[in-house]
Amino acid sequence: MEKDIQKDKVLWTKNFVIINIINLLIFFGFQMLLPTLPIYAKKLGGTNSVIGLVTGAFVVSSVIIRPISGLLLDKLGRQKVFLVGLFIFIVSVFSYSLVPFISAIIMIRFIHGFGWGAVSTASNTIASDNIPKDRFGEGMGYFSLTSSLAMAVAPTIGLFVISKYNFQILFLVSTLLAVLGGIVAFKLEYKKIENKEQTKTKASLYEKVSINPSIIVFFITITYGALTSFLPLYASQKGIENIGVFFTVYAISLFISRPIFGKIIDKLGFDYAIIPGFICVIISMALLSEASNISMFLISAFIYGIGFGATQSSLQTMAMTGVAPSRLGAANATFFTAFDCGVGLGAVILGVVSANVGYAQMYLWASGSAIIAFILYFIIGRKRKLQCKTLKL
C-alpha cells in the first residue's frame, strides 16, 4: 500500500523497523549461498573457470538490472518493483534444488542476479524514504547493520547446514527466509510518488548528483572484490586454516563502526568519517600484504571493517543527499551499480595481478585503488560535499 510518509525527526518508526527486518531476512538468505554455491558447483563437476561463471553471471545481471530498477522505482512506485524483485529472488533460490546441472545453475544464477539487484535497490530506496533528512547518516548506518549482521553469521550457518544436512535443505532454508521477508513486506507503507514530483525531474537510468560519490565507491569496492575472491587462497598459501573468522571480525567491526560514523556525518560532516575511513582501508590492505599469521589477518579485518564502514556509508549518504524524492530510486541504483562493478572488476583485474606478482603483492596493489579513491574525494567528492552543505541536508 502506497501512502504519503510523514516527514519528522523520528528515526525508529514502524516502517523503518519493518524494512530493517525485511532486509535482514533477505540478506541472511543471500549470504548463506555465497560460500556454498561454489561448493555446490564443484560437486556438480564444475571446473574453477566454470565456478567463476557462477559468480560472474550473478554480477552481470545485477549490474544490468539496478539502473532499470531505479527508474521503475521512481516511475511505478516502490511496492511493485520490490515485490516483483523478491518474487524472482525466491523462485531462483528454490530452483537451485530442482535442476542439479551446472549449466542450469549458471542460468539460474543469472536470473537470481536480476531478482537480487531489483530487491536490494528497492529496499535501500524504501529505507531512504523513511529516514529523516537530518539523521540520514545515522539512519543508513543502522540500516546497514542488518546486512552486517547477516554477513557475520549467515555464511557460517550455510556451511554448517551443508555439512550436517544437504544442499536441498540449504536452498529450502534460504527460500523460507526470503518468503518470510515477503510476508513481512505486506505490513509496509510505501512512499507515494506524486505526479508533480515526477514531472519536475527528467527520466534517466542514473542520477547525476550521485555520480561523483559513486565513482569514489567504485575504487573502494575494488579492495572488497580482492578480499571476497582471493583471501581464502592467500590464507591457505600461508598455512592458515579457518580463515572464515576474518569475515566475522570484519562484520563485527562494521557492526560497531557504522552507527558511530553515521552520527559523526550528521553532526560534524563527511570529512570526519571519510578521511579516517580511507586511511584505515589503505592501512588494512598494506597489513594484509605482510600478514604471516592469523593475528595479523584479524587485525587487518578489524581495521578494514572500520574503514569500509566509514567510507561506504558516508558515500552512500552523500549520494542520496539533496536528491529529489522522485529520484531516490535512481540515486540508489547509481550508487550500487558502481558498488557491484567495483567488486566484480576488482576480482578480475586483481586476479590478473595476483597471477603475475602473487597474492601478497596483489593486496599492496589493492591499496592503490583506495589511494585513488582518497585522491578523488578531494577532487570531486568534496565538491559534492559542499553542495550538500549548501542544501543543508
Side-chain angles (χ1 to χ4, degrees), residues 46-62:
T47 62
N48 287 338
S49 59
V50 170
I51 292 171
L53 284 177
V54 173
T55 301
F58 183 85
V59 172
V60 168
S61 57
S62 63

Side-chain angles (χ1 to χ4, degrees), residues 11-12 16 19-21 23-24 127 131 135-149 254-263 266 313 317:
L11 177 59
W12 291 102
F16 188 63
I19 192 59
N20 273 274
I21 293 172
N23 200 60
L24 175 63
I131 299 174
R135 299 183 68 181
F136 198 89
E138 179 186 359
M140 288 310 300
Y142 282 119
F143 179 71
S144 298
L145 289 185
T146 56
S147 56
S148 299
L149 180 59
L254 278 179
F255 197 85
I256 294 170
S257 65
R258 271 181 166 159
I260 295 173
F261 281 112
K263 291 182 178 180
D266 293 333
S313 58
T317 300

